[in-house]
Amino acid sequence: MTVHTIVAPGLAEPNGHFAHASAIEVPATARLVFLSGMTARNAEGGITGVGDITAQTHQVCRNLRAAVEAAGGTLADIARVDVYVRDMADFDAVHAVRRQYFTEQAPASTMVEVSGFVRAEYLIEINAIAAIGGRS
C-alpha cells in the first residue's frame, strides 16, 4: 500500500494532525479493515484516565494499534479516523497525542463534539479504516 497525502491548493494548512485527503494505492492483495470505535477501556475492562483527555487519547490510540495489529497491519495502514469528543476544547490535546502514534502519515480525519457516550466517563472515541497489504 502506498499512501500519498494530498494538500489541496487554496485550502489552509490543517490546524490539527490530519491530511486534507489521503490517496491510497491499494494492491490487489490488500484488505480494507474497518476498526470499530475505540474508547479508553483498557485490557482489564476499566477506564483509563477518567477525567483526563490526554490519558484517554493515549489509551484509545493503544487500542487502535492493538486492533490493527491483530488484523495484520500497523498504525501506518490507517488511512482515515473519525474522532468523537465530549468537548471540542480538547482539540489540541487530542492532536498532540495523535502525533505520537501516527508518525508516518497523518490520516484523513473528522472530529466532532458529541453529547455523550455509552459510559459517562468516556471523553473520546475513535473509529478507523485501514488498508492492510503489500506496501510499495
Side-chain angles (χ1 to χ4, degrees):
M1 173 185 82
T2 302
V3 177
H4 302 282
T5 298
I6 298 171
V7 178
L11 291 180
E13 182 157 330
N15 57 1
H17 189 59
F18 59 91
H20 288 145
S22 297
I24 303 172
E25 296 173 24
V26 181
T29 57
R31 296 179 302 132
L32 287 180
V33 177
F34 298 85
L35 304 174
S36 293
M38 298 292 167
T39 62
R41 190 163 185 243
N42 57 43
E44 294 76 34
I47 300 172
T48 297
V50 173
D52 182 345
I53 190 63
T54 298
Q56 286 203 14
T57 305
H58 276 289
Q59 184 64 55
V60 168
C61 289
R62 288 190 298 267
N63 292 348
L64 285 169
R65 182 174 54 210
V68 75
E69 287 176 353
T74 69
L75 288 173
D77 295 313
I78 293 179
R80 174 165 181 78
V81 295
D82 295 309
V83 182
Y84 307 94
V85 293
R86 287 288 306 272
D87 188 347
M88 196 57 76
D90 293 330
F91 183 94
D92 290 337
V94 168
H95 283 272
V97 173
R98 285 176 54 176
R99 282 182 182 87
Q100 297 173 42
Y101 291 87
F102 296 97
T103 58
E104 290 186 35
Q105 299 271 350
S109 177
T110 296
M111 185 170 179
V112 296
E113 182 177 292
V114 298
S115 62
F117 293 107
V118 172
R119 299 277 307 265
E121 298 90 350
Y122 293 147
L123 302 175
I124 184 169
E125 183 171 337
I126 301 176
N127 65 279
I129 300 172
I132 300 173
R135 289 187 173 271
S136 47

